[in-house]
Amino acid sequence: MNADLRTVSICTGIGGLELGIKTVAKTRTVMYVENELTAIQILVKRMEEGNLEVAPIWSDLKTFRGTDLHGRVDLLVGGFPCQPFSTAGKRKGAEDERNLWPEVRRIAEELGHPTLFLENVNSITEYYYHTIRPELQEMGYRTTEGLFSAREVGLP
């Protein structure tokens, strides 16, 4: 692959997904969206060190608009918040105000339906199969999913 895949990273955290994807694809992140100050500080440090591409950081997923990048992004990547679905939380699912799936969908539409690489917890499975997957398919996406343990990807 010679050309960089232009990427928008949402719910970026400290850039772990972006670093992982770089091991298998040539990407160029053009925008990060992250609201946690500590994570933003780490992202800036990783950019300064040359480990992540220098790109703007938008601090609120709900106000980010992909329309300015419509058709110019190849990949939307993110691990949107798991708290609404996590077994460690209140398990409010779709009713939890932290459920950002509707925002992820909106951004994918605004960007012009780039390839998606999304990550979340195992306990989102029911919501995924009843809501996310059907909505993606309605948008014209062909879906592939997997459930991987930390051990399977080489972590303790």
Side-chain angles (χ1 to χ4, degrees), residues 1-155:
M1 181 178 303
N2 295 329
D4 290 349
L5 295 173
R6 293 161 305 208
T7 303
V8 168
S9 171
I10 58 173
C11 306
T12 306
I14 61 172
L17 282 177
E18 294 67 34
L19 293 172
I21 289 171
K22 286 186 172 307
T23 67
V24 296
K26 190 172 180 181
T27 61
R28 166 85 175 98
T29 303
V30 298
M31 176 68 72
Y32 301 96
V33 182
E34 175 54 54
N35 72 342
E36 295 292 331
L37 183 57
T38 302
I40 291 171
Q41 292 170 334
I42 294 169
L43 287 174
V44 169
K45 184 174 184 193
R46 286 185 166 173
M47 286 186 239
E48 290 170 347
E49 295 169 344
N51 295 317
L52 290 174
E53 290 84 20
V54 174
I57 302 172
W58 194 272
S59 64
D60 185 353
L61 190 72
K62 292 181 178 181
T63 64
F64 175 72
R65 297 292 174 255
T67 50
D68 289 341
L69 295 169
H70 181 88
R72 299 185 344 210
V73 172
D74 305 298
L75 178 64
L76 176 61
V77 59
F80 58 101
C82 65
Q83 293 93 332
F85 306 98
S86 175
T87 56
K90 296 178 182 177
R91 301 182 196 149
K92 290 182 174 181
E95 304 307 315
D96 193 311
E97 65 187 25
R98 297 169 296 178
N99 175 22
L100 293 180
W101 163 248
E103 299 297 331
V104 175
R105 177 189 170 132
R106 174 188 56 78
I107 291 168
E109 290 173 333
E110 291 174 353
L111 291 172
H113 302 98
T115 298
L116 305 178
F117 184 89
L118 304 173
E119 174 273 332
N120 216 290
V121 294
N122 177 37
S123 49
I124 198 171
T125 303
E126 184 176 337
Y127 183 69
Y128 171 78
Y129 280 108
H130 289 98
T131 302
I132 296 173
R133 190 174 196 236
E135 289 182 12
L136 287 172
Q137 291 171 339
E138 287 172 12
M139 294 168 67
Y141 282 102
R142 185 181 67 220
T143 60
T144 303
E145 53 277 318
L147 180 60
F148 307 98
S149 69
R151 174 177 266 161
E152 288 174 297
V153 295
L155 299 171

